[in-house]
Amino acid sequence: MIKVKVPATTANMGPGFDSIGMALQMYNIAYAEEIEEGLEIIIQEGSPDIPTDETNLIYRSICHFYKEIGKPVPGMRIIQQDHIPHTRGLGSSAACIVAGLHIANAMSHSFFSKEELVQMAAQLEGHPDNTTPALLGGMTIGAMNEEDMKYVKVKVAENLHFAVMIPDFTLSTEKARAALPTHIPLKDGVFNASRAALLAASMITGDVENLSMAMEDRFHEPYRESLIPNMREILEHAKTCGAKGTFLSGAGPTLIAVVRNVVSFRKEMVEFFGGLEQDWQVQMLQADQGGAKVWIDEELKY
Ligand code: HSE
């Protein structure tokens, strides 16, 4: 039996649109084993909408891997325990892609390195800011072209806590991408480039006081704001409650604040959310530092 545990991820961290992402301590777990023939998918935990046929994303990722290595896909049973909410900007699709690649890698005895899987996953997803931290953990800064992806992984300071604010409504990546402009003014390019560099350097050096400015963005947040009721008020309120930096997670609608005053921040935000029309849950999480883990017959492989 193969077991894979994959963390949630927040992409577009601050100004790092399609580039900077971070793994969080929230996980999907999948089990898989070969069977004589056919496909059996059991959803033990997670949304009842998860497909249990060939359109299942873990299975599609497995099929992609087998196609790459030129081998037929064997019959298999997959059991999913999903804890990452869907279409909320927390990398649930990337987690399935990563789980599928790891399962196929182990099942086919290919033993591709993590580095090879990082490249394969980034090309499959089209941007590296979810799949790279999902595979490696920490915060990753990635840049890619059609053949290659270069990245740096940064260990996230242990004293940073992330208030992950998840609403009861969904927002599809397609809809959120359709809201983006085709051109960005030069001054916004300068704004984001300077802040992305400041964010990367500040996370490396641990200069938390820079994060308020280093997490500002003009590439996607202003355009996606109208799709997320109360987004601006929530982020402003988070700052008055002590957040060091705030950002829209992935394509949204989840919002994240970097905090140190974990207990008081949570209490104040829960009170604030009580006055809003939509239901928002606040989870206090830390960064996952190690990325996806794989066990074969209960033995941790990597
Ligand atoms: N970077 C991606 C986007 C993340 O913002 O569209 C969601 O897949």
Side-chain angles (χ1 to χ4, degrees):
M1 176 76 88
I2 300 158
K3 175 183 171 186
V4 185
K5 183 177 172 189
V6 189
T9 46
T10 176
N12 301 332
M13 204 171 164
F17 182 73
D18 272 1
S19 169
I20 305 180
M22 184 182 66
L24 291 164
Q25 289 181 350
M26 175 195 278
Y27 301 93
N28 279 0
I29 295 170
Y31 298 86
E33 61 186 344
E34 276 194 53
I35 57 176
E36 259 181 36
E37 58 177 354
L39 171 65
E40 198 181 311
I41 298 178
I42 301 163
I43 310 299
Q44 276 186 343
E45 290 173 63
S47 162
D49 302 333
I50 300 169
T52 54
D53 59 12
E54 284 80 5
T55 64
N56 177 284
L57 191 49
I58 293 182
Y59 185 70
R60 276 168 38 209
S61 170
I62 292 171
C63 292
H64 174 88
F65 185 97
Y66 272 91
K67 196 170 166 206
E68 289 286 307
I69 62 169
K71 284 190 182 170
V73 184
M76 70 183 75
R77 177 180 299 117
I78 300 170
I79 300 172
Q80 277 182 241
Q81 296 172 350
D82 284 11
H83 303 111
I84 306 171
H86 286 202
T87 40
R88 297 298 209 292
L90 287 168
S92 65
S93 303
C96 289
I97 290 173
V98 166
L101 294 182
H102 265 315
I103 288 169
N105 195 29
M107 198 175 264
S108 62
H109 307 289
S110 299
F111 301 112
F112 280 26
S113 66
K114 259 199 183 183
E115 178 56 35
E116 288 168 299
L117 296 183
V118 161
Q119 296 296 335
M120 199 186 277
Q123 298 298 340
L124 199 53
E125 179 90 320
H127 49 86
D129 46 342
N130 285 116
T131 53
T132 313
L135 276 155
L136 302 175
M139 182 184 106
T140 62
I141 303 144
M144 68 189 288
N145 59 26
E146 265 123 53
E147 294 101 46
D148 193 18
M149 198 267 294
K150 300 280 184 220
Y151 65 88
V152 170
K153 174 184 164 180
V154 177
K155 189 174 182 296
V156 179
E158 301 285 351
N159 62 356
L160 286 186
H161 295 262
F162 299 89
V164 180
M165 300 175 278
I166 311 170
D168 60 354
F169 57 89
T170 60
L171 175 57
S172 75
T173 299
E174 291 71 33
K175 190 171 170 190
R177 278 195 100 90
L180 301 178
T182 50
H183 293 82
I184 296 283
L186 178 63
K187 65 178 176 19
D188 290 348
V190 173
F191 184 98
N192 265 54
S194 57
R195 280 153 181 79
L198 184 66
L199 174 61
S202 302
M203 292 295 277
I204 291 166
T205 55
D207 288 333
V208 177
E209 297 311 319
N210 289 341
L211 293 183
S212 175
M213 186 185 284
M215 287 185 158
E216 289 176 330
D217 166 76
R218 286 193 185 162
F219 279 3
H220 78 124
E221 289 188 7
Y223 306 102
R224 289 172 165 171
E225 201 176 308
S226 62
L227 303 172
I228 303 162
N230 306 113
M231 171 175 146
R232 196 47 51 195
E233 295 95 300
I234 295 166
L235 295 182
E236 291 302 328
H237 191 74
K239 286 205 170 140
T240 67
C241 295
K244 297 288 179 197
T246 57
F247 58 97
L248 176 62
S249 182
T254 291
L255 303 171
I256 295 187
V258 186
V259 297
R260 279 193 159 155
N261 53 330
V262 175
V263 177
S264 64
F265 182 87
R266 188 173 189 287
K267 185 170 171 288
E268 287 177 54
M269 287 309 293
V270 167
E271 272 171 27
F272 178 77
F273 285 131
L276 300 184
E277 199 179 317
Q278 282 79 19
D279 184 41
W280 290 77
Q281 302 292 323
V282 187
Q283 291 197 31
M284 304 302 308
L285 301 176
Q286 284 188 281
D288 168 285
Q289 307 281 9
K293 298 267 175 288
V294 181
W295 291 259
I296 301 177
D297 295 331
E298 296 187 11
E299 188 189 333
L300 180 63
K301 288 291 178 188
Y302 40 83

mmCIF file of all heavy atoms in Angstrom, residues 11-12 17-18 125 127 129-130 173 177 220 224 250-251, ligand 1:
data_model
loop_
_atom_site.group_PDB
_atom_site.id
_atom_site.type_symbol
_atom_site.label_atom_id
_atom_site.label_comp_id
_atom_site.label_asym_id
_atom_site.label_seq_id
_atom_site.Cartn_x
_atom_site.Cartn_y
_atom_site.Cartn_z
ATOM 1 N N ALA A 11 -0.630 30.203 -2.879
ATOM 2 C CA ALA A 11 0.142 30.705 -4.026
ATOM 3 C C ALA A 11 0.013 32.226 -4.098
ATOM 4 O O ALA A 11 -0.721 32.820 -3.301
ATOM 5 C CB ALA A 11 -0.386 30.070 -5.302
ATOM 6 N N ASN A 12 0.720 32.840 -5.055
ATOM 7 C CA ASN A 12 0.666 34.311 -5.225
ATOM 8 C C ASN A 12 0.970 35.015 -3.921
ATOM 9 O O ASN A 12 0.329 36.017 -3.591
ATOM 10 C CB ASN A 12 -0.734 34.786 -5.634
ATOM 11 C CG ASN A 12 -1.239 34.191 -6.907
ATOM 12 O OD1 ASN A 12 -0.472 33.836 -7.773
ATOM 13 N ND2 ASN A 12 -2.555 34.094 -7.026
ATOM 14 N N PHE A 17 2.923 36.915 -7.711
ATOM 15 C CA PHE A 17 1.923 36.294 -8.582
ATOM 16 C C PHE A 17 2.550 35.217 -9.480
ATOM 17 O O PHE A 17 3.552 35.458 -10.149
ATOM 18 C CB PHE A 17 1.244 37.373 -9.450
ATOM 19 C CG PHE A 17 0.177 36.811 -10.342
ATOM 20 C CD1 PHE A 17 -1.036 36.406 -9.804
ATOM 21 C CD2 PHE A 17 0.392 36.645 -11.701
ATOM 22 C CE1 PHE A 17 -2.023 35.844 -10.621
ATOM 23 C CE2 PHE A 17 -0.585 36.102 -12.519
ATOM 24 C CZ PHE A 17 -1.793 35.696 -11.973
ATOM 25 N N ASP A 18 1.951 34.033 -9.466
ATOM 26 C CA ASP A 18 2.424 32.890 -10.268
ATOM 27 C C ASP A 18 3.873 32.504 -9.962
ATOM 28 O O ASP A 18 4.531 31.864 -10.799
ATOM 29 C CB ASP A 18 2.271 33.167 -11.778
ATOM 30 C CG ASP A 18 0.889 32.753 -12.306
ATOM 31 O OD1 ASP A 18 0.054 32.274 -11.506
ATOM 32 O OD2 ASP A 18 0.645 32.930 -13.520
ATOM 33 N N GLU A 125 0.862 21.906 -13.916
ATOM 34 C CA GLU A 125 -0.008 22.939 -13.342
ATOM 35 C C GLU A 125 0.049 24.244 -14.147
ATOM 36 O O GLU A 125 -0.909 25.003 -14.183
ATOM 37 C CB GLU A 125 0.413 23.186 -11.876
ATOM 38 C CG GLU A 125 -0.376 24.255 -11.138
ATOM 39 C CD GLU A 125 -1.613 23.754 -10.416
ATOM 40 O OE1 GLU A 125 -2.331 22.896 -10.963
ATOM 41 O OE2 GLU A 125 -1.855 24.239 -9.302
ATOM 42 N N HIS A 127 1.995 26.810 -13.552
ATOM 43 C CA HIS A 127 2.701 27.810 -12.735
ATOM 44 C C HIS A 127 3.244 27.054 -11.519
ATOM 45 O O HIS A 127 2.650 26.076 -11.079
ATOM 46 C CB HIS A 127 1.776 28.969 -12.337
ATOM 47 C CG HIS A 127 0.468 28.537 -11.758
ATOM 48 N ND1 HIS A 127 0.311 28.249 -10.431
ATOM 49 C CD2 HIS A 127 -0.732 28.296 -12.328
ATOM 50 C CE1 HIS A 127 -0.940 27.877 -10.210
ATOM 51 N NE2 HIS A 127 -1.598 27.892 -11.350
ATOM 52 N N ASP A 129 3.780 27.946 -8.268
ATOM 53 C CA ASP A 129 3.651 28.476 -6.901
ATOM 54 C C ASP A 129 2.786 27.627 -5.972
ATOM 55 O O ASP A 129 2.715 27.923 -4.773
ATOM 56 C CB ASP A 129 3.199 29.946 -6.898
ATOM 57 C CG ASP A 129 2.049 30.256 -7.836
ATOM 58 O OD1 ASP A 129 1.796 29.458 -8.754
ATOM 59 O OD2 ASP A 129 1.412 31.301 -7.661
ATOM 60 N N ASN A 130 2.120 26.586 -6.467
ATOM 61 C CA ASN A 130 1.443 25.630 -5.581
ATOM 62 C C ASN A 130 2.202 24.304 -5.520
ATOM 63 O O ASN A 130 2.465 23.779 -4.444
ATOM 64 C CB ASN A 130 0.003 25.338 -6.040
ATOM 65 C CG ASN A 130 -0.974 26.456 -5.744
ATOM 66 O OD1 ASN A 130 -1.521 27.059 -6.666
ATOM 67 N ND2 ASN A 130 -1.202 26.751 -4.481
ATOM 68 N N THR A 173 -10.586 29.129 -10.133
ATOM 69 C CA THR A 173 -9.381 29.776 -10.666
ATOM 70 C C THR A 173 -9.677 30.374 -12.045
ATOM 71 O O THR A 173 -9.191 31.468 -12.361
ATOM 72 C CB THR A 173 -8.230 28.749 -10.759
ATOM 73 O OG1 THR A 173 -7.973 28.276 -9.438
ATOM 74 C CG2 THR A 173 -6.954 29.367 -11.295
ATOM 75 N N ARG A 177 -8.985 34.138 -12.855
ATOM 76 C CA ARG A 177 -7.982 34.510 -13.865
ATOM 77 C C ARG A 177 -8.620 35.393 -14.933
ATOM 78 O O ARG A 177 -7.981 36.287 -15.467
ATOM 79 C CB ARG A 177 -7.341 33.268 -14.512
ATOM 80 C CG ARG A 177 -6.218 32.674 -13.665
ATOM 81 C CD ARG A 177 -5.351 31.689 -14.411
ATOM 82 N NE ARG A 177 -4.094 32.257 -14.878
ATOM 83 C CZ ARG A 177 -2.943 32.274 -14.188
ATOM 84 N NH1 ARG A 177 -2.876 31.775 -12.992
ATOM 85 N NH2 ARG A 177 -1.849 32.811 -14.694
ATOM 86 N N HIS A 220 -2.812 41.217 -8.935
ATOM 87 C CA HIS A 220 -4.079 40.466 -8.989
ATOM 88 C C HIS A 220 -5.097 40.885 -7.926
ATOM 89 O O HIS A 220 -6.293 40.889 -8.187
ATOM 90 C CB HIS A 220 -3.824 38.948 -8.943
ATOM 91 C CG HIS A 220 -3.513 38.397 -7.594
ATOM 92 N ND1 HIS A 220 -4.242 37.370 -7.036
ATOM 93 C CD2 HIS A 220 -2.571 38.723 -6.681
ATOM 94 C CE1 HIS A 220 -3.724 37.084 -5.848
ATOM 95 N NE2 HIS A 220 -2.726 37.882 -5.612
ATOM 96 N N ARG A 224 -9.269 41.149 -8.352
ATOM 97 C CA ARG A 224 -10.080 40.034 -7.842
ATOM 98 C C ARG A 224 -10.946 40.452 -6.654
ATOM 99 O O ARG A 224 -11.829 39.694 -6.235
ATOM 100 C CB ARG A 224 -9.151 38.867 -7.457
ATOM 101 C CG ARG A 224 -8.570 38.206 -8.697
ATOM 102 C CD ARG A 224 -7.495 37.183 -8.403
ATOM 103 N NE ARG A 224 -7.241 36.345 -9.574
ATOM 104 C CZ ARG A 224 -6.234 35.483 -9.674
ATOM 105 N NH1 ARG A 224 -5.369 35.334 -8.680
ATOM 106 N NH2 ARG A 224 -6.083 34.752 -10.755
ATOM 107 N N GLY A 250 -3.638 32.466 -3.214
ATOM 108 C CA GLY A 250 -3.875 31.915 -4.550
ATOM 109 C C GLY A 250 -4.847 32.781 -5.319
ATOM 110 O O GLY A 250 -4.786 34.010 -5.281
ATOM 111 N N ALA A 251 -5.784 32.147 -5.990
ATOM 112 C CA ALA A 251 -6.797 32.893 -6.737
ATOM 113 C C ALA A 251 -7.963 33.281 -5.843
ATOM 114 O O ALA A 251 -8.974 33.798 -6.311
ATOM 115 C CB ALA A 251 -7.284 32.049 -7.909
HETATM 116 N N1 HSE B 1 -1.182 31.683 -9.429
HETATM 117 C C1 HSE B 1 -2.484 31.139 -9.659
HETATM 118 C C2 HSE B 1 -3.495 32.228 -9.975
HETATM 119 C C3 HSE B 1 -2.900 30.392 -8.425
HETATM 120 O O1 HSE B 1 -3.530 33.224 -9.285
HETATM 121 O O2 HSE B 1 -4.278 32.137 -10.919
HETATM 122 C C4 HSE B 1 -4.189 29.651 -8.576
HETATM 123 O O3 HSE B 1 -4.042 28.464 -9.283
#
